PDB file of all heavy atoms in Angstrom:
ATOM      1  N   LYS A 127      75.433 -53.798  80.579  1.00  0.00           N
ATOM      2  CA  LYS A 127      75.879 -52.781  79.623  1.00  0.00           C
ATOM      3  C   LYS A 127      76.728 -53.418  78.521  1.00  0.00           C
ATOM      4  O   LYS A 127      76.539 -53.148  77.338  1.00  0.00           O
ATOM      5  CB  LYS A 127      76.677 -51.707  80.371  1.00  0.00           C
ATOM      6  CG  LYS A 127      77.151 -50.544  79.534  1.00  0.00           C
ATOM      7  CD  LYS A 127      77.849 -49.509  80.427  1.00  0.00           C
ATOM      8  CE  LYS A 127      78.117 -48.225  79.712  1.00  0.00           C
ATOM      9  NZ  LYS A 127      79.318 -48.219  78.915  1.00  0.00           N
ATOM     10  N   GLU A 128      77.637 -54.310  78.907  1.00  0.00           N
ATOM     11  CA  GLU A 128      78.542 -54.929  77.933  1.00  0.00           C
ATOM     12  C   GLU A 128      77.805 -55.848  76.957  1.00  0.00           C
ATOM     13  O   GLU A 128      78.065 -55.834  75.760  1.00  0.00           O
ATOM     14  CB  GLU A 128      79.643 -55.695  78.671  1.00  0.00           C
ATOM     15  CG  GLU A 128      80.823 -55.958  77.787  1.00  0.00           C
ATOM     16  CD  GLU A 128      82.041 -56.445  78.565  1.00  0.00           C
ATOM     17  OE1 GLU A 128      82.091 -56.315  79.795  1.00  0.00           O
ATOM     18  OE2 GLU A 128      82.954 -56.942  77.891  1.00  0.00           O
ATOM     19  N   ILE A 129      76.857 -56.626  77.465  1.00  0.00           N
ATOM     20  CA  ILE A 129      76.060 -57.505  76.593  1.00  0.00           C
ATOM     21  C   ILE A 129      75.267 -56.662  75.604  1.00  0.00           C
ATOM     22  O   ILE A 129      75.288 -56.895  74.394  1.00  0.00           O
ATOM     23  CB  ILE A 129      75.096 -58.393  77.421  1.00  0.00           C
ATOM     24  CG1 ILE A 129      75.865 -59.423  78.241  1.00  0.00           C
ATOM     25  CG2 ILE A 129      74.042 -59.046  76.542  1.00  0.00           C
ATOM     26  CD1 ILE A 129      76.127 -60.737  77.593  1.00  0.00           C
ATOM     27  N   VAL A 130      74.548 -55.687  76.120  1.00  0.00           N
ATOM     28  CA  VAL A 130      73.648 -54.877  75.294  1.00  0.00           C
ATOM     29  C   VAL A 130      74.427 -54.059  74.263  1.00  0.00           C
ATOM     30  O   VAL A 130      74.043 -53.997  73.090  1.00  0.00           O
ATOM     31  CB  VAL A 130      72.752 -53.993  76.185  1.00  0.00           C
ATOM     32  CG1 VAL A 130      71.992 -52.967  75.378  1.00  0.00           C
ATOM     33  CG2 VAL A 130      71.784 -54.877  76.977  1.00  0.00           C
ATOM     34  N   GLU A 131      75.515 -53.434  74.668  1.00  0.00           N
ATOM     35  CA  GLU A 131      76.299 -52.639  73.715  1.00  0.00           C
ATOM     36  C   GLU A 131      76.883 -53.506  72.603  1.00  0.00           C
ATOM     37  O   GLU A 131      76.907 -53.100  71.443  1.00  0.00           O
ATOM     38  CB  GLU A 131      77.408 -51.887  74.442  1.00  0.00           C
ATOM     39  CG  GLU A 131      76.887 -50.704  75.241  1.00  0.00           C
ATOM     40  CD  GLU A 131      77.969 -49.964  76.013  1.00  0.00           C
ATOM     41  OE1 GLU A 131      79.110 -50.483  76.133  1.00  0.00           O
ATOM     42  OE2 GLU A 131      77.670 -48.855  76.499  1.00  0.00           O
ATOM     43  N   ASN A 132      77.347 -54.701  72.945  1.00  0.00           N
ATOM     44  CA  ASN A 132      77.911 -55.584  71.914  1.00  0.00           C
ATOM     45  C   ASN A 132      76.839 -56.160  71.005  1.00  0.00           C
ATOM     46  O   ASN A 132      77.063 -56.345  69.811  1.00  0.00           O
ATOM     47  CB  ASN A 132      78.763 -56.682  72.549  1.00  0.00           C
ATOM     48  CG  ASN A 132      80.133 -56.157  72.904  1.00  0.00           C
ATOM     49  OD1 ASN A 132      80.998 -56.043  72.047  1.00  0.00           O
ATOM     50  ND2 ASN A 132      80.324 -55.788  74.164  1.00  0.00           N
ATOM     51  N   PHE A 133      75.654 -56.430  71.547  1.00  0.00           N
ATOM     52  CA  PHE A 133      74.543 -56.844  70.687  1.00  0.00           C
ATOM     53  C   PHE A 133      74.189 -55.713  69.725  1.00  0.00           C
ATOM     54  O   PHE A 133      73.962 -55.953  68.529  1.00  0.00           O
ATOM     55  CB  PHE A 133      73.311 -57.251  71.503  1.00  0.00           C
ATOM     56  CG  PHE A 133      72.107 -57.484  70.635  1.00  0.00           C
ATOM     57  CD1 PHE A 133      72.031 -58.619  69.836  1.00  0.00           C
ATOM     58  CD2 PHE A 133      71.072 -56.568  70.588  1.00  0.00           C
ATOM     59  CE1 PHE A 133      70.934 -58.843  69.006  1.00  0.00           C
ATOM     60  CE2 PHE A 133      69.975 -56.772  69.765  1.00  0.00           C
ATOM     61  CZ  PHE A 133      69.898 -57.913  68.972  1.00  0.00           C
ATOM     62  N   ALA A 134      74.147 -54.495  70.228  1.00  0.00           N
ATOM     63  CA  ALA A 134      73.811 -53.344  69.386  1.00  0.00           C
ATOM     64  C   ALA A 134      74.806 -53.211  68.230  1.00  0.00           C
ATOM     65  O   ALA A 134      74.409 -53.015  67.077  1.00  0.00           O
ATOM     66  CB  ALA A 134      73.779 -52.059  70.217  1.00  0.00           C
ATOM     67  N   ILE A 135      76.080 -53.335  68.511  1.00  0.00           N
ATOM     68  CA  ILE A 135      77.104 -53.272  67.453  1.00  0.00           C
ATOM     69  C   ILE A 135      76.863 -54.378  66.431  1.00  0.00           C
ATOM     70  O   ILE A 135      76.867 -54.139  65.227  1.00  0.00           O
ATOM     71  CB  ILE A 135      78.521 -53.382  68.057  1.00  0.00           C
ATOM     72  CG1 ILE A 135      78.853 -52.126  68.855  1.00  0.00           C
ATOM     73  CG2 ILE A 135      79.569 -53.628  66.968  1.00  0.00           C
ATOM     74  CD1 ILE A 135      80.070 -52.269  69.769  1.00  0.00           C
ATOM     75  N   TYR A 136      76.636 -55.590  66.923  1.00  0.00           N
ATOM     76  CA  TYR A 136      76.432 -56.743  66.047  1.00  0.00           C
ATOM     77  C   TYR A 136      75.210 -56.550  65.142  1.00  0.00           C
ATOM     78  O   TYR A 136      75.299 -56.683  63.925  1.00  0.00           O
ATOM     79  CB  TYR A 136      76.267 -58.014  66.900  1.00  0.00           C
ATOM     80  CG  TYR A 136      75.986 -59.244  66.081  1.00  0.00           C
ATOM     81  CD1 TYR A 136      77.012 -59.937  65.465  1.00  0.00           C
ATOM     82  CD2 TYR A 136      74.690 -59.712  65.924  1.00  0.00           C
ATOM     83  CE1 TYR A 136      76.761 -61.062  64.697  1.00  0.00           C
ATOM     84  CE2 TYR A 136      74.420 -60.837  65.165  1.00  0.00           C
ATOM     85  CZ  TYR A 136      75.460 -61.508  64.556  1.00  0.00           C
ATOM     86  OH  TYR A 136      75.192 -62.619  63.795  1.00  0.00           O
ATOM     87  N   ILE A 137      74.077 -56.228  65.741  1.00  0.00           N
ATOM     88  CA  ILE A 137      72.830 -56.175  64.970  1.00  0.00           C
ATOM     89  C   ILE A 137      72.784 -54.943  64.065  1.00  0.00           C
ATOM     90  O   ILE A 137      72.194 -54.973  62.992  1.00  0.00           O
ATOM     91  CB  ILE A 137      71.589 -56.301  65.889  1.00  0.00           C
ATOM     92  CG1 ILE A 137      70.422 -56.938  65.138  1.00  0.00           C
ATOM     93  CG2 ILE A 137      71.193 -54.980  66.514  1.00  0.00           C
ATOM     94  CD1 ILE A 137      70.617 -58.378  64.739  1.00  0.00           C
ATOM     95  N   LYS A 138      73.446 -53.846  64.473  1.00  0.00           N
ATOM     96  CA  LYS A 138      73.509 -52.672  63.595  1.00  0.00           C
ATOM     97  C   LYS A 138      74.373 -52.970  62.377  1.00  0.00           C
ATOM     98  O   LYS A 138      74.070 -52.514  61.276  1.00  0.00           O
ATOM     99  CB  LYS A 138      74.032 -51.451  64.361  1.00  0.00           C
ATOM    100  CG  LYS A 138      72.995 -50.918  65.340  1.00  0.00           C
ATOM    101  CD  LYS A 138      73.303 -49.683  66.142  1.00  0.00           C
ATOM    102  CE  LYS A 138      74.644 -49.185  66.321  1.00  0.00           C
ATOM    103  NZ  LYS A 138      74.753 -47.991  67.170  1.00  0.00           N
ATOM    104  N   ASN A 139      75.432 -53.761  62.539  1.00  0.00           N
ATOM    105  CA  ASN A 139      76.236 -54.183  61.384  1.00  0.00           C
ATOM    106  C   ASN A 139      75.425 -55.056  60.432  1.00  0.00           C
ATOM    107  O   ASN A 139      75.558 -54.948  59.219  1.00  0.00           O
ATOM    108  CB  ASN A 139      77.491 -54.937  61.833  1.00  0.00           C
ATOM    109  CG  ASN A 139      78.553 -54.017  62.366  1.00  0.00           C
ATOM    110  OD1 ASN A 139      78.619 -52.842  62.009  1.00  0.00           O
ATOM    111  ND2 ASN A 139      79.390 -54.538  63.240  1.00  0.00           N
ATOM    112  N   VAL A 140      74.594 -55.917  60.990  1.00  0.00           N
ATOM    113  CA  VAL A 140      73.765 -56.819  60.178  1.00  0.00           C
ATOM    114  C   VAL A 140      72.706 -56.036  59.400  1.00  0.00           C
ATOM    115  O   VAL A 140      72.457 -56.307  58.232  1.00  0.00           O
ATOM    116  CB  VAL A 140      73.082 -57.877  61.083  1.00  0.00           C
ATOM    117  CG1 VAL A 140      71.969 -58.604  60.352  1.00  0.00           C
ATOM    118  CG2 VAL A 140      74.114 -58.857  61.609  1.00  0.00           C
ATOM    119  N   THR A 141      72.082 -55.066  60.055  1.00  0.00           N
ATOM    120  CA  THR A 141      70.930 -54.380  59.459  1.00  0.00           C
ATOM    121  C   THR A 141      71.275 -53.065  58.764  1.00  0.00           C
ATOM    122  O   THR A 141      70.464 -52.554  57.993  1.00  0.00           O
ATOM    123  CB  THR A 141      69.881 -54.064  60.548  1.00  0.00           C
ATOM    124  OG1 THR A 141      70.463 -53.173  61.514  1.00  0.00           O
ATOM    125  CG2 THR A 141      69.392 -55.328  61.222  1.00  0.00           C
ATOM    126  N   GLY A 142      72.433 -52.509  59.065  1.00  0.00           N
ATOM    127  CA  GLY A 142      72.776 -51.202  58.511  1.00  0.00           C
ATOM    128  C   GLY A 142      72.153 -50.046  59.284  1.00  0.00           C
ATOM    129  O   GLY A 142      72.273 -48.893  58.890  1.00  0.00           O
ATOM    130  N   SER A 143      71.512 -50.348  60.404  1.00  0.00           N
ATOM    131  CA  SER A 143      70.872 -49.313  61.213  1.00  0.00           C
ATOM    132  C   SER A 143      71.925 -48.480  61.935  1.00  0.00           C
ATOM    133  O   SER A 143      73.008 -48.952  62.249  1.00  0.00           O
ATOM    134  CB  SER A 143      69.948 -49.963  62.248  1.00  0.00           C
ATOM    135  OG  SER A 143      69.464 -48.981  63.139  1.00  0.00           O
TER     136      SER A 143
END
Side-chain angles (χ1 to χ4, degrees):
K127 183 176 191 277
E128 199 168 345
I129 292 270
V130 170
E131 286 178 348
N132 280 280
F133 172 73
I135 291 166
Y136 177 82
I137 209 67
K138 288 183 342 182
N139 284 334
V140 166
T141 62
S143 173

